[in-house]
Amino acid sequence: MIYGQLENMAHEISVVPGIVLEGLRFLEGKDFASLPAGRIDIDGDRVFALVQDYRTKPETEVRPEAHSRYLDIQFIASGCEKIGFASSTDAPPAVEDYSEERDIRFYDHVPHESSLLMTAGSYAVFFPWDIHRPGCSISEPCDVRKILVKIDMHHNR
């Protein structure tokens, strides 16, 4: 897992892995308010973005998830949310596994979950070995505009 602020990209450019930098470069200089909700192809199925508008929910209403094929760069364009995260190392088996169809597995709970407080301009990178619980309310429900950049880890080996 990597956490950062898009405004610090000039400082982070030398330490962020190239595969992540490709996704961050897509975010650089964008007018996020004018992007239409939905999918934006960057490089076909290898790299694409999902522009999402939603209201956060209490943590108890959001299930932890993980992916096998894609890494996620979750960028908050507006609003704020809490994202839980944990290593998949000692996680219980997934309760629902849609890895083949939709590249997602859901968990009822994960041990040793920590939280990130995400505000406008912040991003978090979740690799396939990171379980994450996005879209959680910090204290009250909040409207969020998120740009989710998906990068195919299998294609980039």
Side-chain angles (χ1 to χ4, degrees), residues 55-94:
R55 191 156 183 82
T56 59
K57 300 176 184 175
E59 186 175 327
T60 56
E61 294 179 22
V62 182
R63 295 187 299 174
E65 64 184 55
H67 312 288
S68 300
R69 180 176 174 184
Y70 288 92
L71 73 76
D72 283 359
I73 300 175
Q74 300 202 14
F75 172 76
I76 304 297
S78 64
C80 58
E81 71 178 42
K82 179 170 63 171
I83 298 180
F85 69 96
S87 171
S88 61
T89 305
D90 52 355

Coordinates of all heavy atoms in Angstrom, one line a residue, residues 55-94:
R55 N -22.0 8.4 -2.0 CA -22.0 8.8 -0.6 C -21.4 7.8 0.2 O -21.7 6.6 0.1 CB -23.5 9.1 -0.3 CG -23.7 9.8 1.1 CD -25.0 10.5 1.1 NE -25.2 11.3 2.3 CZ -24.7 12.5 2.5 NH1 -24.0 13.1 1.5 NH2 -25.0 13.2 3.6
T56 N -20.5 8.2 1.2 CA -19.9 7.2 2.0 C -20.9 6.5 2.9 O -22.0 7.1 3.2 CB -18.8 7.8 2.9 OG1 -19.4 8.9 3.7 CG2 -17.7 8.4 2.0
K57 N -20.5 5.4 3.5 CA -21.4 4.6 4.4 C -20.7 4.3 5.7 O -19.5 4.3 5.7 CB -21.8 3.3 3.7 CG -22.5 3.4 2.4 CD -22.7 2.0 1.8 CE -23.4 2.1 0.4 NZ -23.5 0.8 -0.2
P58 N -21.4 3.9 6.7 CA -20.8 3.4 7.9 C -19.9 2.2 7.6 O -20.3 1.4 6.7 CB -21.9 3.1 8.8 CG -23.1 3.9 8.3 CD -22.9 4.0 6.8
E59 N -18.8 2.1 8.2 CA -17.8 1.0 8.0 C -18.5 -0.4 8.1 O -18.2 -1.3 7.3 CB -16.7 1.1 9.0 CG -15.6 0.1 8.9 CD -14.5 0.4 9.8 OE1 -14.2 1.5 10.2 OE2 -13.9 -0.6 10.2
T60 N -19.5 -0.5 9.0 CA -20.2 -1.8 9.1 C -21.0 -2.2 7.9 O -21.4 -3.4 7.8 CB -21.1 -1.8 10.4 OG1 -22.1 -0.7 10.2 CG2 -20.3 -1.6 11.6
E61 N -21.2 -1.2 7.0 CA -22.0 -1.5 5.8 C -21.1 -1.8 4.6 O -21.6 -1.9 3.5 CB -23.0 -0.4 5.5 CG -24.1 -0.2 6.6 CD -25.0 0.9 6.3 OE1 -25.1 1.4 5.1 OE2 -25.6 1.4 7.2
V62 N -19.8 -1.7 4.7 CA -18.9 -1.9 3.6 C -18.0 -3.1 3.9 O -17.4 -3.2 4.9 CB -18.0 -0.6 3.5 CG1 -17.1 -0.7 2.3 CG2 -18.9 0.6 3.3
R63 N -17.9 -4.0 2.9 CA -17.1 -5.2 3.1 C -15.7 -5.0 2.6 O -15.5 -4.3 1.5 CB -17.8 -6.4 2.3 CG -19.1 -6.8 2.9 CD -19.6 -8.0 2.3 NE -19.8 -7.8 0.8 CZ -20.1 -8.8 0.0 NH1 -20.3 -10.0 0.4 NH2 -20.3 -8.5 -1.3
P64 N -14.7 -5.5 3.2 CA -13.4 -5.5 2.7 C -13.3 -6.3 1.4 O -14.1 -7.2 1.2 CB -12.5 -6.2 3.8 CG -13.4 -6.2 5.0 CD -14.8 -6.2 4.5
E65 N -12.4 -5.8 0.5 CA -12.3 -6.4 -0.8 C -10.8 -6.5 -1.2 O -9.9 -5.8 -0.6 CB -13.0 -5.6 -1.9 CG -12.5 -4.2 -2.0 CD -13.3 -3.4 -3.0 OE1 -14.5 -3.2 -2.8 OE2 -12.7 -2.8 -4.0
A66 N -10.5 -7.3 -2.2 CA -9.2 -7.5 -2.8 C -9.3 -7.9 -4.2 O -10.4 -8.3 -4.7 CB -8.4 -8.5 -2.0
H67 N -8.3 -7.7 -5.0 CA -8.2 -8.0 -6.4 C -7.1 -8.9 -6.7 O -6.1 -8.9 -5.9 CB -8.1 -6.7 -7.2 CG -9.1 -5.7 -6.8 ND1 -10.5 -5.7 -7.0 CD2 -8.9 -4.5 -6.1 CE1 -11.1 -4.7 -6.5 NE2 -10.2 -3.9 -5.9
S68 N -7.1 -9.6 -7.8 CA -6.0 -10.5 -8.2 C -5.3 -9.9 -9.4 O -4.0 -10.1 -9.4 CB -6.6 -11.9 -8.6 OG -7.3 -12.5 -7.5
R69 N -6.0 -9.3 -10.3 CA -5.3 -8.9 -11.5 C -4.9 -7.4 -11.5 O -3.8 -7.1 -12.0 CB -6.3 -9.1 -12.7 CG -5.8 -8.7 -14.0 CD -6.8 -9.0 -15.1 NE -6.4 -8.5 -16.4 CZ -7.1 -8.6 -17.5 NH1 -8.2 -9.2 -17.5 NH2 -6.6 -8.1 -18.6
Y70 N -5.7 -6.6 -11.0 CA -5.5 -5.1 -11.1 C -5.0 -4.5 -9.7 O -5.5 -4.9 -8.7 CB -6.7 -4.4 -11.5 CG -7.1 -4.6 -12.9 CD1 -8.0 -5.6 -13.3 CD2 -6.6 -3.8 -13.9 CE1 -8.3 -5.8 -14.6 CE2 -6.9 -4.0 -15.3 CZ -7.8 -5.0 -15.6 OH -8.1 -5.2 -16.9
L71 N -4.1 -3.6 -9.8 CA -3.9 -2.7 -8.6 C -4.8 -1.5 -8.8 O -5.2 -1.2 -9.8 CB -2.4 -2.3 -8.5 CG -1.8 -1.3 -9.5 CD1 -2.2 0.1 -9.1 CD2 -0.3 -1.4 -9.4
D72 N -5.2 -0.9 -7.6 CA -6.0 0.2 -7.6 C -5.2 1.5 -7.2 O -4.5 1.4 -6.2 CB -7.1 0.1 -6.5 CG -8.3 -0.8 -6.9 OD1 -8.3 -1.3 -8.0 OD2 -9.1 -1.0 -6.0
I73 N -5.4 2.6 -7.9 CA -5.0 3.9 -7.4 C -6.3 4.6 -7.1 O -7.1 4.9 -8.0 CB -4.2 4.7 -8.4 CG1 -2.9 3.9 -8.7 CG2 -3.9 6.1 -7.8 CD1 -2.1 4.6 -9.8
Q74 N -6.6 4.8 -5.8 CA -7.9 5.5 -5.4 C -7.5 6.9 -5.1 O -6.9 7.2 -4.1 CB -8.5 4.7 -4.2 CG -8.8 3.3 -4.6 CD -9.9 2.6 -3.8 OE1 -10.6 3.3 -3.0 NE2 -10.0 1.3 -3.9
F75 N -8.0 7.8 -5.9 CA -7.8 9.2 -5.7 C -9.0 10.0 -5.4 O -10.1 9.8 -6.1 CB -7.2 9.8 -7.0 CG -7.1 11.3 -7.0 CD1 -6.0 11.9 -6.3 CD2 -8.0 12.1 -7.7 CE1 -5.9 13.3 -6.3 CE2 -7.9 13.5 -7.7 CZ -6.8 14.1 -7.0
I76 N -9.0 10.8 -4.3 CA -10.2 11.5 -3.9 C -10.1 12.9 -4.6 O -9.3 13.7 -4.3 CB -10.2 11.7 -2.4 CG1 -10.2 10.3 -1.7 CG2 -11.5 12.5 -1.9 CD1 -11.4 9.4 -2.0
A77 N -11.0 13.2 -5.5 CA -11.1 14.5 -6.2 C -11.9 15.5 -5.3 O -11.5 16.6 -5.2 CB -11.8 14.3 -7.5
S78 N -12.9 15.0 -4.6 CA -13.7 15.9 -3.7 C -14.3 15.0 -2.6 O -14.6 13.9 -2.9 CB -14.7 16.7 -4.4 OG -15.7 15.9 -5.0
G79 N -14.5 15.6 -1.5 CA -15.1 14.9 -0.3 C -14.0 14.3 0.5 O -12.8 14.6 0.4
C80 N -14.4 13.3 1.4 CA -13.5 12.6 2.2 C -14.1 11.3 2.6 O -15.3 11.1 2.6 CB -13.2 13.5 3.5 SG -14.6 13.9 4.5
E81 N -13.2 10.4 2.9 CA -13.7 9.0 3.3 C -12.6 8.4 4.1 O -11.4 8.8 4.1 CB -14.0 8.2 2.1 CG -12.9 7.7 1.3 CD -13.4 6.8 0.1 OE1 -14.4 7.1 -0.5 OE2 -12.7 5.8 -0.1
K82 N -12.9 7.3 4.8 CA -12.0 6.4 5.4 C -11.9 5.1 4.6 O -12.9 4.6 4.1 CB -12.5 6.1 6.8 CG -11.6 5.2 7.6 CD -12.0 5.1 9.1 CE -13.3 4.5 9.3 NZ -13.6 4.2 10.7
I83 N -10.6 4.7 4.4 CA -10.4 3.4 3.7 C -9.7 2.5 4.7 O -8.6 2.8 5.2 CB -9.6 3.6 2.5 CG1 -10.3 4.4 1.4 CG2 -9.3 2.2 1.9 CD1 -9.5 4.6 0.1
G84 N -10.3 1.4 5.0 CA -9.6 0.4 5.8 C -8.7 -0.4 5.0 O -8.9 -0.6 3.8
F85 N -7.5 -0.9 5.5 CA -6.6 -1.7 4.8 C -5.9 -2.7 5.7 O -5.7 -2.5 6.9 CB -5.6 -0.9 3.9 CG -4.6 -0.2 4.8 CD1 -3.4 -0.7 5.0 CD2 -4.9 1.1 5.4 CE1 -2.4 0.0 5.8 CE2 -4.0 1.7 6.2 CZ -2.8 1.2 6.4
A86 N -5.5 -3.8 5.1 CA -4.8 -4.9 5.8 C -4.1 -5.8 4.8 O -4.5 -5.8 3.6 CB -5.8 -5.7 6.6
S87 N -3.1 -6.5 5.3 CA -2.4 -7.4 4.4 C -3.3 -8.7 4.3 O -4.0 -9.1 5.2 CB -1.1 -7.8 5.1 OG -0.5 -8.9 4.4
S88 N -3.1 -9.3 3.1 CA -3.9 -10.5 2.9 C -3.2 -11.8 3.5 O -3.7 -12.9 3.5 CB -4.1 -10.8 1.4 OG -2.8 -10.9 0.8
T89 N -2.0 -11.5 4.1 CA -1.2 -12.6 4.6 C -1.9 -13.5 5.6 O -1.9 -14.7 5.5 CB 0.1 -12.1 5.3 OG1 0.8 -11.3 4.4 CG2 1.0 -13.2 5.8
D90 N -2.6 -12.9 6.6 CA -3.3 -13.7 7.6 C -4.8 -13.5 7.5 O -5.5 -13.7 8.5 CB -2.7 -13.5 9.0 CG -2.7 -12.0 9.4 OD1 -3.0 -11.2 8.5 OD2 -2.4 -11.7 10.5
A91 N -5.3 -13.2 6.3 CA -6.7 -13.0 6.2 C -7.5 -14.3 6.1 O -6.9 -15.3 5.6 CB -7.0 -12.2 4.9
P92 N -8.7 -14.4 6.6 CA -9.5 -15.6 6.4 C -9.9 -15.7 4.9 O -9.7 -14.8 4.1 CB -10.7 -15.3 7.2 CG -10.8 -13.8 7.2 CD -9.4 -13.3 7.2
P93 N -10.4 -16.9 4.5 CA -10.8 -17.0 3.1 C -11.9 -16.0 2.8 O -12.7 -15.6 3.6 CB -11.4 -18.5 3.1 CG -10.8 -19.1 4.2 CD -10.6 -18.1 5.3
A94 N -11.9 -15.6 1.5 CA -13.0 -14.7 1.0 C -14.3 -15.4 1.1 O -14.4 -16.6 1.0 CB -12.7 -14.3 -0.4

